[in-house]
């Protein structure tokens, strides 16, 4: 068995209905997330024990330490492994609404208002070309929260950013229910956002 195993889901596959359907959640977790996990383990086997012994968060934050031959595979599958475990936990049944606490103030400081943030996140994530993720991140340099689109499975950590809230806009995240209507999926996804988890990540990141 490899170093990493598929994380368990924090709720049932049908718990996010009607916003995200159970079949999509099951395939997304048991097939897609499992594959990223397996391929991350396989890519790590091609690395030195020094790399293997490091935590995936350290590896993603310092990708240059990974030998060139494995770097692409670690970027993609390590990102896929970490992004999805963040994703499951930054959603919950009966989520959504507006955040409170320090994350609400930070969003207001960076975007003007919560509705301006939501509009920017939605419209920019909707037009990511091909596959990728929309993220609310904490930038340790500016000490502000920012929106960041990332391609494919590349983690915001590879750019020194701390992921706080991610929306998977790969077709596999919504196609069964929404087909080509990515903006409809994103609009519905806001109803399952777990703001307590985002606030928790923000407090850890600061
Ligand atoms: Mn996915």
């Amino acid at each position: 068995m490899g170093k990493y195993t598929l994380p368990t889901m924090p709720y049932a596959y049908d718990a996010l209905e009607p916003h995200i359907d159970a079949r999509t959640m099951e395939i997304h977790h048991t097939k897609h997330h499992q594959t990223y996990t397996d391929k991350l383990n396989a890519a790590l086997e091609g690395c030195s024990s020094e790399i293997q012994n490091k935590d995936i968060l350290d590896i993603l934050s310092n990708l240059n330490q990974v030998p060139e031959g494995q770097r692409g595979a670690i970027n993609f599958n390590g990102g896929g492994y970490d992004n999805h475990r963040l994703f499951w936990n930054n959603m919950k049944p009966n989520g959504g609404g507006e955040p409170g606490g320090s994350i609400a103030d930070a969003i207001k400081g960076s975007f003007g208002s919560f509705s301006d943030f939501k509009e920017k996140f939605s419209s920019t994530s909707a037009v990511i070309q091909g596959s990728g993720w929309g993220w609310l991140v904490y930038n340790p340099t500016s000490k502000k929260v920012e929106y960041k689109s990332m391609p494919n499975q590349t983690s915001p950590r590879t750019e020194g950013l701390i992921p706080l809230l991610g929306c998977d806009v790969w077709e596999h995240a919504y196609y069964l229910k929404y087909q080509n209507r990515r903006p409809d999926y994103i609009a519905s996804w806001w109803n399952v956002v777990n703001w307590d988890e985002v606030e928790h990540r923000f407090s850890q990141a600061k």
Side-chain angles (χ1 to χ4, degrees):
M1 199 164 86
K3 176 171 180 179
Y4 293 98
T5 56
L6 182 68
T8 53
M9 289 289 288
Y11 38 74
Y13 292 127
D14 65 358
L16 304 183
E17 296 258 16
H19 309 293
I20 304 181
D21 63 286
R23 184 78 178 126
T24 294
M25 290 296 290
E26 183 179 3
I27 296 171
H28 202 168
H29 182 238
T30 63
K31 307 295 184 196
H32 293 279
H33 199 183
Q34 182 71 64
T35 301
Y36 299 125
T37 305
D38 293 343
K39 291 190 172 177
L40 168 61
N41 285 327
L44 284 170
E45 277 170 29
C47 296
S48 65
S49 58
E50 190 195 339
I51 300 281
Q52 288 175 9
N53 289 335
K54 290 186 175 175
D55 187 79
I56 187 59
L57 301 191
D58 180 10
I59 296 173
L60 290 174
S61 303
N62 302 279
L63 265 186
N64 282 340
Q65 67 190 344
V66 176
E68 228 175 323
Q70 300 299 326
R71 201 176 299 154
I74 300 267
N75 177 53
F76 187 78
N77 296 294
Y81 169 79
D82 183 44
N83 291 342
H84 286 86
R85 69 180 173 172
L86 292 166
F87 184 56
W88 310 135
N89 286 293
N90 71 215
M91 299 188 291
K92 68 172 184 181
N94 306 310
E98 289 197 26
S102 60
I103 190 64
D105 297 335
I107 286 172
K108 217 162 282 172
S110 294
F111 299 93
S113 69
F114 178 72
S115 62
D116 287 334
F117 156 70
K118 195 171 163 181
E119 161 55 26
K120 159 115 182 158
F121 190 110
S122 298
S123 60
T124 315
S125 300
V127 296
I128 291 172
Q129 293 183 341
S131 299
W133 291 70
W135 290 99
L136 175 69
V137 298
Y138 177 69
N139 183 332
T141 307
S142 67
K143 303 197 185 306
K144 286 181 185 295
V145 296
E146 301 171 355
Y147 171 86
K148 182 77 186 171
S149 293
M150 296 299 293
N152 299 307
Q153 296 295 354
T154 300
S155 169
R157 300 183 203 277
T158 61
E159 299 196 9
L161 303 168
I162 316 284
L164 302 177
L165 171 66
C167 183
D168 186 345
V169 297
W170 281 58
E171 283 190 345
H172 68 226
Y174 61 85
Y175 202 85
L176 290 181
K177 184 177 171 77
Y178 296 94
Q179 293 82 49
N180 62 321
R181 302 186 311 277
R182 187 193 280 176
D184 291 356
Y185 154 69
I186 296 170
S188 204
W189 171 81
W190 289 108
N191 294 307
V192 295
V193 168
N194 182 348
W195 284 113
D196 293 337
E197 174 67 12
V198 179
E199 170 75 18
H200 174 69
R201 286 178 195 164
F202 184 50
S203 67
Q204 303 277 11
K206 281 186 290 182

